[in-house]
Amino acid sequence: MNPRIDEAENLLTPSEVAALFRVDPKTVTRWAKAGKIGSIRTLGGHRRFRESEVRQLLEADGSQ
């Protein structure tokens, strides 16, 4: 299995995820640190989130 990210996978910034959940971007960062949502670190150290995982969490939460 190749550990690289699927080229077709769309990645979201903490701000984009925060807008979907209607929370502050710092809250999304706290969720990632707590392991509540998976994140990927860029080479520059920024967090990115898989859109498919975020959409699943939204559906489970009933927020959308």
Side-chain angles (χ1 to χ4, degrees):
M1 186 167 151
N2 191 349
R4 294 185 64 187
I5 300 169
D6 182 10
E7 296 294 328
E9 182 70 58
N10 196 18
L11 299 177
L12 304 174
T13 65
S15 294
E16 292 170 328
V17 175
L20 292 170
F21 281 99
R22 296 185 178 118
V23 297
D24 191 84
K26 293 286 186 184
T27 300
V28 176
T29 300
R30 283 194 297 271
W31 290 346
K33 286 181 180 178
K36 294 181 180 182
I37 184 170
S39 67
I40 298 166
R41 291 290 190 124
T42 66
L43 292 176
H46 300 281
R47 290 186 191 272
R48 295 295 180 262
F49 302 89
R50 287 184 175 92
E51 183 177 19
S52 59
E53 182 180 350
V54 171
R55 296 286 178 193
Q56 286 177 339
L57 290 170
L58 276 171
E59 289 173 10
D61 184 43
S63 295
Q64 213 175 32

Short mmCIF file of all heavy atoms in Angstrom, two decimals:
data_model
loop_
_atom_site.label_atom_id
_atom_site.label_comp_id
_atom_site.label_asym_id
_atom_site.label_seq_id
_atom_site.Cartn_x
_atom_site.Cartn_y
_atom_site.Cartn_z
N MET A 1 0.85 -1.18 0.00
CA MET A 1 0.00 0.00 0.00
C MET A 1 0.89 1.23 0.00
O MET A 1 1.82 1.35 0.78
CB MET A 1 -0.90 -0.02 1.22
CG MET A 1 -1.91 1.07 1.23
SD MET A 1 -3.11 0.69 2.50
CE MET A 1 -3.60 2.30 2.93
N ASN A 2 0.57 2.17 -0.83
CA ASN A 2 1.35 3.38 -0.96
C ASN A 2 0.87 4.41 0.07
O ASN A 2 -0.29 4.78 0.08
CB ASN A 2 1.20 3.93 -2.38
CG ASN A 2 2.19 5.03 -2.68
OD1 ASN A 2 2.85 5.54 -1.79
ND2 ASN A 2 2.28 5.40 -3.94
N PRO A 3 1.77 4.92 0.93
CA PRO A 3 1.35 5.86 1.96
C PRO A 3 1.07 7.28 1.45
O PRO A 3 0.61 8.11 2.19
CB PRO A 3 2.54 5.88 2.92
CG PRO A 3 3.71 5.52 2.08
CD PRO A 3 3.17 4.57 1.05
N ARG A 4 1.31 7.54 0.18
CA ARG A 4 1.08 8.87 -0.37
C ARG A 4 -0.41 9.16 -0.46
O ARG A 4 -1.24 8.27 -0.59
CB ARG A 4 1.70 8.99 -1.76
CG ARG A 4 3.22 8.91 -1.71
CD ARG A 4 3.80 9.13 -3.04
NE ARG A 4 3.48 10.50 -3.47
CZ ARG A 4 3.73 10.96 -4.66
NH1 ARG A 4 4.29 10.21 -5.55
NH2 ARG A 4 3.43 12.20 -4.97
N ILE A 5 -0.75 10.43 -0.44
CA ILE A 5 -2.13 10.86 -0.54
C ILE A 5 -2.62 10.62 -1.96
O ILE A 5 -1.91 10.89 -2.93
CB ILE A 5 -2.26 12.36 -0.20
CG1 ILE A 5 -1.77 12.61 1.21
CG2 ILE A 5 -3.68 12.85 -0.38
CD1 ILE A 5 -1.62 14.07 1.53
N ASP A 6 -3.82 10.11 -2.08
CA ASP A 6 -4.43 9.93 -3.39
C ASP A 6 -4.50 11.29 -4.09
O ASP A 6 -4.96 12.26 -3.50
CB ASP A 6 -5.83 9.34 -3.21
CG ASP A 6 -6.53 9.06 -4.53
OD1 ASP A 6 -5.89 9.13 -5.59
OD2 ASP A 6 -7.73 8.77 -4.49
N GLU A 7 -4.04 11.35 -5.33
CA GLU A 7 -3.99 12.60 -6.07
C GLU A 7 -5.39 13.24 -6.19
O GLU A 7 -5.50 14.45 -6.26
CB GLU A 7 -3.39 12.38 -7.46
CG GLU A 7 -1.95 11.93 -7.45
CD GLU A 7 -0.99 12.97 -6.90
OE1 GLU A 7 -1.25 14.17 -7.09
OE2 GLU A 7 0.00 12.59 -6.29
N ALA A 8 -6.44 12.42 -6.20
CA ALA A 8 -7.79 12.95 -6.38
C ALA A 8 -8.39 13.45 -5.06
O ALA A 8 -9.42 14.10 -5.07
CB ALA A 8 -8.68 11.88 -6.99
N GLU A 9 -7.76 13.13 -3.94
CA GLU A 9 -8.30 13.53 -2.63
C GLU A 9 -8.17 15.02 -2.45
O GLU A 9 -7.10 15.60 -2.58
CB GLU A 9 -7.55 12.81 -1.52
CG GLU A 9 -8.06 13.12 -0.13
CD GLU A 9 -9.42 12.53 0.16
OE1 GLU A 9 -9.57 11.32 0.05
OE2 GLU A 9 -10.33 13.31 0.47
N ASN A 10 -9.27 15.67 -2.14
CA ASN A 10 -9.29 17.11 -1.93
C ASN A 10 -8.98 17.39 -0.46
O ASN A 10 -9.55 16.77 0.43
CB ASN A 10 -10.67 17.67 -2.31
CG ASN A 10 -10.66 19.16 -2.48
OD1 ASN A 10 -9.62 19.77 -2.64
ND2 ASN A 10 -11.83 19.75 -2.44
N LEU A 11 -8.06 18.32 -0.22
CA LEU A 11 -7.68 18.67 1.14
C LEU A 11 -8.23 20.04 1.50
O LEU A 11 -8.24 20.95 0.67
CB LEU A 11 -6.15 18.66 1.29
CG LEU A 11 -5.47 17.33 1.03
CD1 LEU A 11 -3.96 17.48 1.12
CD2 LEU A 11 -5.95 16.28 2.00
N LEU A 12 -8.68 20.18 2.75
CA LEU A 12 -9.25 21.43 3.22
C LEU A 12 -8.36 22.05 4.29
O LEU A 12 -7.70 21.35 5.05
CB LEU A 12 -10.64 21.17 3.83
CG LEU A 12 -11.66 20.50 2.93
CD1 LEU A 12 -12.93 20.19 3.72
CD2 LEU A 12 -11.98 21.37 1.73
N THR A 13 -8.39 23.36 4.37
CA THR A 13 -7.65 24.09 5.40
C THR A 13 -8.49 24.10 6.68
O THR A 13 -9.70 23.85 6.64
CB THR A 13 -7.39 25.54 4.97
OG1 THR A 13 -8.64 26.21 4.86
CG2 THR A 13 -6.61 25.60 3.65
N PRO A 14 -7.87 24.40 7.82
CA PRO A 14 -8.65 24.52 9.06
C PRO A 14 -9.79 25.54 8.94
O PRO A 14 -10.88 25.32 9.47
CB PRO A 14 -7.62 24.96 10.09
CG PRO A 14 -6.33 24.40 9.58
CD PRO A 14 -6.44 24.52 8.08
N SER A 15 -9.58 26.62 8.22
CA SER A 15 -10.62 27.64 8.05
C SER A 15 -11.81 27.09 7.25
O SER A 15 -12.97 27.39 7.57
CB SER A 15 -10.07 28.87 7.34
OG SER A 15 -9.12 29.51 8.15
N GLU A 16 -11.52 26.30 6.23
CA GLU A 16 -12.60 25.72 5.43
C GLU A 16 -13.41 24.72 6.25
O GLU A 16 -14.64 24.69 6.17
CB GLU A 16 -12.02 25.05 4.18
CG GLU A 16 -11.44 26.04 3.19
CD GLU A 16 -10.65 25.39 2.08
OE1 GLU A 16 -10.02 24.34 2.29
OE2 GLU A 16 -10.66 25.97 0.96
N VAL A 17 -12.72 23.91 7.05
CA VAL A 17 -13.41 22.94 7.91
C VAL A 17 -14.23 23.68 8.96
O VAL A 17 -15.38 23.33 9.22
CB VAL A 17 -12.40 21.98 8.58
CG1 VAL A 17 -13.10 21.06 9.57
CG2 VAL A 17 -11.64 21.18 7.54
N ALA A 18 -13.65 24.72 9.53
CA ALA A 18 -14.35 25.51 10.54
C ALA A 18 -15.64 26.12 9.97
O ALA A 18 -16.67 26.14 10.64
CB ALA A 18 -13.43 26.61 11.07
N ALA A 19 -15.60 26.58 8.75
CA ALA A 19 -16.78 27.17 8.13
C ALA A 19 -17.88 26.12 7.96
O ALA A 19 -19.06 26.41 8.17
CB ALA A 19 -16.42 27.77 6.77
N LEU A 20 -17.50 24.89 7.62
CA LEU A 20 -18.49 23.83 7.45
C LEU A 20 -19.16 23.46 8.78
O LEU A 20 -20.36 23.18 8.82
CB LEU A 20 -17.83 22.59 6.84
CG LEU A 20 -17.37 22.73 5.39
CD1 LEU A 20 -16.54 21.53 4.98
CD2 LEU A 20 -18.57 22.87 4.47
N PHE A 21 -18.38 23.44 9.86
CA PHE A 21 -18.91 23.09 11.17
C PHE A 21 -19.43 24.30 11.96
O PHE A 21 -19.96 24.15 13.05
CB PHE A 21 -17.83 22.38 12.01
CG PHE A 21 -17.64 20.93 11.65
CD1 PHE A 21 -16.61 20.54 10.82
CD2 PHE A 21 -18.49 19.97 12.15
CE1 PHE A 21 -16.43 19.21 10.49
CE2 PHE A 21 -18.32 18.63 11.83
CZ PHE A 21 -17.29 18.25 11.00
N ARG A 22 -19.21 25.49 11.39
CA ARG A 22 -19.60 26.75 12.05
C ARG A 22 -18.94 26.90 13.42
O ARG A 22 -19.60 27.17 14.43
CB ARG A 22 -21.11 26.84 12.15
CG ARG A 22 -21.78 26.90 10.80
CD ARG A 22 -23.27 27.12 10.92
NE ARG A 22 -23.87 27.21 9.60
CZ ARG A 22 -24.79 26.36 9.17
NH1 ARG A 22 -25.23 25.40 9.92
NH2 ARG A 22 -25.27 26.51 7.95
N VAL A 23 -17.62 26.68 13.43
CA VAL A 23 -16.81 26.87 14.63
C VAL A 23 -15.59 27.70 14.26
O VAL A 23 -15.34 27.99 13.10
CB VAL A 23 -16.36 25.52 15.25
CG1 VAL A 23 -17.56 24.70 15.70
CG2 VAL A 23 -15.50 24.72 14.28
N ASP A 24 -14.79 28.06 15.26
CA ASP A 24 -13.56 28.81 15.04
C ASP A 24 -12.48 27.86 14.51
O ASP A 24 -12.44 26.69 14.90
CB ASP A 24 -13.12 29.41 16.37
CG ASP A 24 -12.00 30.41 16.18
OD1 ASP A 24 -12.30 31.57 15.87
OD2 ASP A 24 -10.83 30.01 16.37
N PRO A 25 -11.58 28.33 13.63
CA PRO A 25 -10.49 27.48 13.14
C PRO A 25 -9.63 26.89 14.25
O PRO A 25 -9.12 25.77 14.12
CB PRO A 25 -9.68 28.42 12.24
CG PRO A 25 -10.67 29.42 11.78
CD PRO A 25 -11.62 29.63 12.93
N LYS A 26 -9.47 27.61 15.36
CA LYS A 26 -8.68 27.07 16.49
C LYS A 26 -9.36 25.83 17.08
O LYS A 26 -8.68 24.93 17.58
CB LYS A 26 -8.51 28.13 17.58
CG LYS A 26 -7.64 29.28 17.16
CD LYS A 26 -6.20 28.85 17.12
CE LYS A 26 -5.32 30.07 16.85
NZ LYS A 26 -3.93 29.71 16.72
N THR A 27 -10.68 25.78 17.02
CA THR A 27 -11.41 24.61 17.51
C THR A 27 -11.07 23.40 16.65
O THR A 27 -10.86 22.30 17.17
CB THR A 27 -12.93 24.88 17.48
OG1 THR A 27 -13.21 26.00 18.32
CG2 THR A 27 -13.72 23.67 17.95
N VAL A 28 -11.00 23.59 15.34
CA VAL A 28 -10.65 22.50 14.43
C VAL A 28 -9.24 22.00 14.75
O VAL A 28 -8.99 20.79 14.78
CB VAL A 28 -10.76 22.95 12.96
CG1 VAL A 28 -10.29 21.87 12.01
CG2 VAL A 28 -12.18 23.38 12.64
N THR A 29 -8.32 22.91 15.02
CA THR A 29 -6.95 22.52 15.39
C THR A 29 -6.95 21.71 16.68
O THR A 29 -6.25 20.71 16.79
CB THR A 29 -6.06 23.77 15.52
OG1 THR A 29 -6.06 24.46 14.26
CG2 THR A 29 -4.64 23.40 15.88
N ARG A 30 -7.76 22.13 17.66
CA ARG A 30 -7.86 21.38 18.92
C ARG A 30 -8.42 19.98 18.68
O ARG A 30 -7.96 19.01 19.28
CB ARG A 30 -8.71 22.14 19.94
CG ARG A 30 -7.97 23.28 20.59
CD ARG A 30 -8.70 23.80 21.82
NE ARG A 30 -10.01 24.36 21.50
CZ ARG A 30 -10.24 25.62 21.17
NH1 ARG A 30 -9.25 26.48 21.10
NH2 ARG A 30 -11.46 26.04 20.90
N TRP A 31 -9.42 19.88 17.80
CA TRP A 31 -9.99 18.57 17.47
C TRP A 31 -8.91 17.67 16.87
O TRP A 31 -8.83 16.49 17.19
CB TRP A 31 -11.13 18.70 16.48
CG TRP A 31 -12.38 19.32 17.02
CD1 TRP A 31 -12.71 19.54 18.32
CD2 TRP A 31 -13.48 19.81 16.25
NE1 TRP A 31 -13.96 20.13 18.41
CE2 TRP A 31 -14.45 20.31 17.15
CE3 TRP A 31 -13.75 19.86 14.89
CZ2 TRP A 31 -15.66 20.84 16.73
CZ3 TRP A 31 -14.95 20.41 14.47
CH2 TRP A 31 -15.90 20.89 15.37
N ALA A 32 -8.09 18.22 16.00
CA ALA A 32 -7.03 17.44 15.37
C ALA A 32 -6.00 16.97 16.41
O ALA A 32 -5.57 15.82 16.39
CB ALA A 32 -6.35 18.25 14.27
N LYS A 33 -5.62 17.86 17.31
CA LYS A 33 -4.66 17.50 18.36
C LYS A 33 -5.22 16.42 19.28
O LYS A 33 -4.49 15.56 19.76
CB LYS A 33 -4.28 18.73 19.19
CG LYS A 33 -3.36 19.68 18.47
CD LYS A 33 -3.02 20.86 19.37
CE LYS A 33 -2.10 21.84 18.66
NZ LYS A 33 -1.79 23.01 19.50
N ALA A 34 -6.54 16.45 19.50
CA ALA A 34 -7.19 15.48 20.38
C ALA A 34 -7.50 14.16 19.65
O ALA A 34 -7.95 13.21 20.28
CB ALA A 34 -8.48 16.07 20.93
N GLY A 35 -7.29 14.13 18.35
CA GLY A 35 -7.54 12.92 17.58
C GLY A 35 -9.00 12.74 17.16
O GLY A 35 -9.38 11.67 16.70
N LYS A 36 -9.81 13.77 17.30
CA LYS A 36 -11.22 13.68 16.92
C LYS A 36 -11.42 13.77 15.41
O LYS A 36 -12.45 13.36 14.90
CB LYS A 36 -12.02 14.79 17.61
CG LYS A 36 -12.07 14.62 19.11
CD LYS A 36 -12.88 15.71 19.77
CE LYS A 36 -12.91 15.51 21.27
NZ LYS A 36 -13.74 16.53 21.93
N ILE A 37 -10.44 14.35 14.73
CA ILE A 37 -10.48 14.46 13.27
C ILE A 37 -9.05 14.28 12.77
O ILE A 37 -8.10 14.80 13.35
CB ILE A 37 -11.07 15.82 12.83
CG1 ILE A 37 -11.20 15.90 11.32
CG2 ILE A 37 -10.27 16.98 13.38
CD1 ILE A 37 -11.98 17.11 10.84
N GLY A 38 -8.91 13.49 11.71
CA GLY A 38 -7.59 13.22 11.16
C GLY A 38 -7.05 14.41 10.39
O GLY A 38 -7.82 15.14 9.76
N SER A 39 -5.75 14.61 10.47
CA SER A 39 -5.15 15.70 9.71
C SER A 39 -3.84 15.26 9.11
O SER A 39 -3.24 14.27 9.54
CB SER A 39 -4.92 16.92 10.61
OG SER A 39 -3.94 16.65 11.58
N ILE A 40 -3.43 16.00 8.12
CA ILE A 40 -2.18 15.77 7.42
C ILE A 40 -1.36 17.04 7.58
O ILE A 40 -1.89 18.14 7.53
CB ILE A 40 -2.45 15.51 5.92
CG1 ILE A 40 -3.29 14.26 5.75
CG2 ILE A 40 -1.14 15.41 5.14
CD1 ILE A 40 -3.88 14.13 4.36
N ARG A 41 -0.07 16.89 7.80
CA ARG A 41 0.81 18.06 7.91
C ARG A 41 1.51 18.28 6.58
O ARG A 41 2.05 17.36 5.98
CB ARG A 41 1.87 17.84 8.99
CG ARG A 41 1.32 17.82 10.40
CD ARG A 41 0.87 19.22 10.79
NE ARG A 41 0.57 19.29 12.19
CZ ARG A 41 1.12 20.14 13.04
NH1 ARG A 41 1.98 21.02 12.63
NH2 ARG A 41 0.77 20.13 14.30
N THR A 42 1.51 19.53 6.12
CA THR A 42 2.25 19.88 4.91
C THR A 42 3.73 19.98 5.27
O THR A 42 4.10 19.95 6.44
CB THR A 42 1.77 21.23 4.35
OG1 THR A 42 2.11 22.26 5.27
CG2 THR A 42 0.27 21.23 4.08
N LEU A 43 4.56 20.16 4.27
CA LEU A 43 5.99 20.32 4.52
C LEU A 43 6.26 21.57 5.35
O LEU A 43 7.22 21.62 6.11
CB LEU A 43 6.76 20.39 3.20
CG LEU A 43 6.78 19.09 2.40
CD1 LEU A 43 7.49 19.32 1.06
CD2 LEU A 43 7.45 17.98 3.17
N GLY A 44 5.40 22.56 5.24
CA GLY A 44 5.55 23.79 6.01
C GLY A 44 4.97 23.70 7.41
O GLY A 44 5.02 24.65 8.17
N GLY A 45 4.37 22.55 7.76
CA GLY A 45 3.83 22.34 9.09
C GLY A 45 2.37 22.72 9.26
O GLY A 45 1.83 22.67 10.36
N HIS A 46 1.70 23.08 8.17
CA HIS A 46 0.29 23.45 8.24
C HIS A 46 -0.58 22.19 8.21
O HIS A 46 -0.21 21.20 7.60
CB HIS A 46 -0.09 24.36 7.07
CG HIS A 46 0.69 25.63 7.04
ND1 HIS A 46 0.39 26.70 7.85
CD2 HIS A 46 1.78 25.99 6.32
CE1 HIS A 46 1.26 27.67 7.62
NE2 HIS A 46 2.12 27.26 6.70
N ARG A 47 -1.73 22.27 8.84
CA ARG A 47 -2.65 21.14 8.84
C ARG A 47 -3.59 21.20 7.64
O ARG A 47 -4.06 22.27 7.26
CB ARG A 47 -3.50 21.13 10.11
CG ARG A 47 -2.73 20.80 11.35
CD ARG A 47 -3.68 20.68 12.53
NE ARG A 47 -2.94 20.63 13.77
CZ ARG A 47 -2.48 19.51 14.32
NH1 ARG A 47 -2.70 18.36 13.72
NH2 ARG A 47 -1.79 19.53 15.44
N ARG A 48 -3.87 20.03 7.10
CA ARG A 48 -4.87 19.89 6.04
C ARG A 48 -5.74 18.70 6.41
O ARG A 48 -5.29 17.75 7.05
CB ARG A 48 -4.22 19.66 4.67
CG ARG A 48 -3.38 20.84 4.17
CD ARG A 48 -4.25 22.06 3.91
NE ARG A 48 -3.48 23.19 3.45
CZ ARG A 48 -3.06 24.19 4.21
NH1 ARG A 48 -3.33 24.19 5.50
NH2 ARG A 48 -2.39 25.19 3.70
N PHE A 49 -6.99 18.75 5.97
CA PHE A 49 -7.96 17.73 6.33
C PHE A 49 -8.56 17.13 5.07
O PHE A 49 -8.88 17.86 4.13
CB PHE A 49 -9.06 18.36 7.20
CG PHE A 49 -8.51 18.99 8.46
CD1 PHE A 49 -8.11 20.31 8.47
CD2 PHE A 49 -8.37 18.25 9.62
CE1 PHE A 49 -7.59 20.90 9.62
CE2 PHE A 49 -7.85 18.82 10.77
CZ PHE A 49 -7.46 20.14 10.78
N ARG A 50 -8.74 15.81 5.08
CA ARG A 50 -9.33 15.14 3.92
C ARG A 50 -10.81 15.50 3.85
O ARG A 50 -11.55 15.34 4.82
CB ARG A 50 -9.19 13.63 4.05
CG ARG A 50 -7.78 13.14 3.83
CD ARG A 50 -7.74 11.61 3.88
NE ARG A 50 -6.42 11.14 3.55
CZ ARG A 50 -5.47 10.89 4.45
NH1 ARG A 50 -5.72 11.07 5.74
NH2 ARG A 50 -4.29 10.48 4.08
N GLU A 51 -11.23 15.99 2.69
CA GLU A 51 -12.62 16.40 2.52
C GLU A 51 -13.58 15.25 2.75
O GLU A 51 -14.63 15.42 3.38
CB GLU A 51 -12.84 17.00 1.13
CG GLU A 51 -14.25 17.51 0.93
CD GLU A 51 -14.47 18.17 -0.41
OE1 GLU A 51 -13.68 17.93 -1.35
OE2 GLU A 51 -15.45 18.93 -0.52
N SER A 52 -13.22 14.05 2.29
CA SER A 52 -14.12 12.90 2.46
C SER A 52 -14.36 12.60 3.94
O SER A 52 -15.49 12.31 4.35
CB SER A 52 -13.53 11.67 1.76
OG SER A 52 -12.25 11.36 2.28
N GLU A 53 -13.32 12.70 4.76
CA GLU A 53 -13.47 12.46 6.20
C GLU A 53 -14.33 13.55 6.85
O GLU A 53 -15.19 13.26 7.69
CB GLU A 53 -12.11 12.40 6.88
CG GLU A 53 -12.20 12.12 8.36
CD GLU A 53 -10.84 12.08 9.05
OE1 GLU A 53 -9.80 12.09 8.37
OE2 GLU A 53 -10.84 12.04 10.29
N VAL A 54 -14.11 14.78 6.45
CA VAL A 54 -14.88 15.90 7.00
C VAL A 54 -16.36 15.74 6.64
O VAL A 54 -17.23 15.93 7.49
CB VAL A 54 -14.33 17.25 6.49
CG1 VAL A 54 -15.25 18.40 6.87
CG2 VAL A 54 -12.93 17.48 7.01
N ARG A 55 -16.65 15.37 5.41
CA ARG A 55 -18.04 15.17 4.97
C ARG A 55 -18.71 14.05 5.77
O ARG A 55 -19.87 14.17 6.15
CB ARG A 55 -18.11 14.87 3.47
CG ARG A 55 -17.63 16.00 2.59
CD ARG A 55 -18.61 17.12 2.54
NE ARG A 55 -18.08 18.21 1.72
CZ ARG A 55 -18.59 19.40 1.69
NH1 ARG A 55 -19.64 19.70 2.41
NH2 ARG A 55 -18.05 20.35 0.94
N GLN A 56 -17.97 12.97 6.05
CA GLN A 56 -18.51 11.87 6.85
C GLN A 56 -18.84 12.35 8.26
O GLN A 56 -19.89 12.00 8.81
CB GLN A 56 -17.52 10.71 6.93
CG GLN A 56 -17.42 9.91 5.66
CD GLN A 56 -16.38 8.81 5.76
OE1 GLN A 56 -15.48 8.87 6.60
NE2 GLN A 56 -16.50 7.80 4.92
N LEU A 57 -17.97 13.14 8.85
CA LEU A 57 -18.22 13.67 10.19
C LEU A 57 -19.42 14.60 10.20
O LEU A 57 -20.22 14.58 11.14
CB LEU A 57 -16.98 14.41 10.71
CG LEU A 57 -15.79 13.53 11.06
CD1 LEU A 57 -14.56 14.39 11.33
CD2 LEU A 57 -16.11 12.67 12.27
N LEU A 58 -19.57 15.41 9.15
CA LEU A 58 -20.72 16.30 9.06
C LEU A 58 -22.02 15.50 9.00
O LEU A 58 -23.00 15.84 9.65
CB LEU A 58 -20.60 17.19 7.83
CG LEU A 58 -19.77 18.44 7.97
CD1 LEU A 58 -19.57 19.09 6.62
CD2 LEU A 58 -20.41 19.41 8.93
N GLU A 59 -22.02 14.43 8.19
CA GLU A 59 -23.22 13.61 8.06
C GLU A 59 -23.55 12.92 9.37
O GLU A 59 -24.71 12.85 9.77
CB GLU A 59 -23.03 12.58 6.94
CG GLU A 59 -23.03 13.19 5.56
CD GLU A 59 -22.68 12.19 4.47
OE1 GLU A 59 -22.62 10.98 4.77
OE2 GLU A 59 -22.46 12.63 3.34
N ALA A 60 -22.53 12.43 10.08
CA ALA A 60 -22.74 11.75 11.36
C ALA A 60 -23.24 12.73 12.42
O ALA A 60 -24.03 12.36 13.29
CB ALA A 60 -21.44 11.09 11.81
N ASP A 61 -22.79 13.97 12.32
CA ASP A 61 -23.16 14.99 13.29
C ASP A 61 -24.56 15.55 12.99
O ASP A 61 -25.19 16.11 13.88
CB ASP A 61 -22.11 16.12 13.26
CG ASP A 61 -22.37 17.19 14.31
OD1 ASP A 61 -22.69 16.82 15.46
OD2 ASP A 61 -22.25 18.38 13.97
N GLY A 62 -24.99 15.43 11.76
CA GLY A 62 -26.28 15.97 11.37
C GLY A 62 -26.26 17.47 11.17
O GLY A 62 -27.30 18.12 11.16
N SER A 63 -25.07 18.04 10.99
CA SER A 63 -24.93 19.48 10.84
C SER A 63 -25.33 19.98 9.47
O SER A 63 -25.47 21.15 9.24
CB SER A 63 -23.48 19.91 11.10
OG SER A 63 -23.14 19.65 12.43
N GLN A 64 -25.48 19.07 8.53
CA GLN A 64 -25.80 19.53 7.19
C GLN A 64 -26.94 18.78 6.60
O GLN A 64 -27.31 17.72 6.93
CB GLN A 64 -24.56 19.35 6.30
CG GLN A 64 -24.47 20.40 5.27
CD GLN A 64 -23.19 20.31 4.48
OE1 GLN A 64 -22.65 19.25 4.27
NE2 GLN A 64 -22.71 21.44 4.04
#
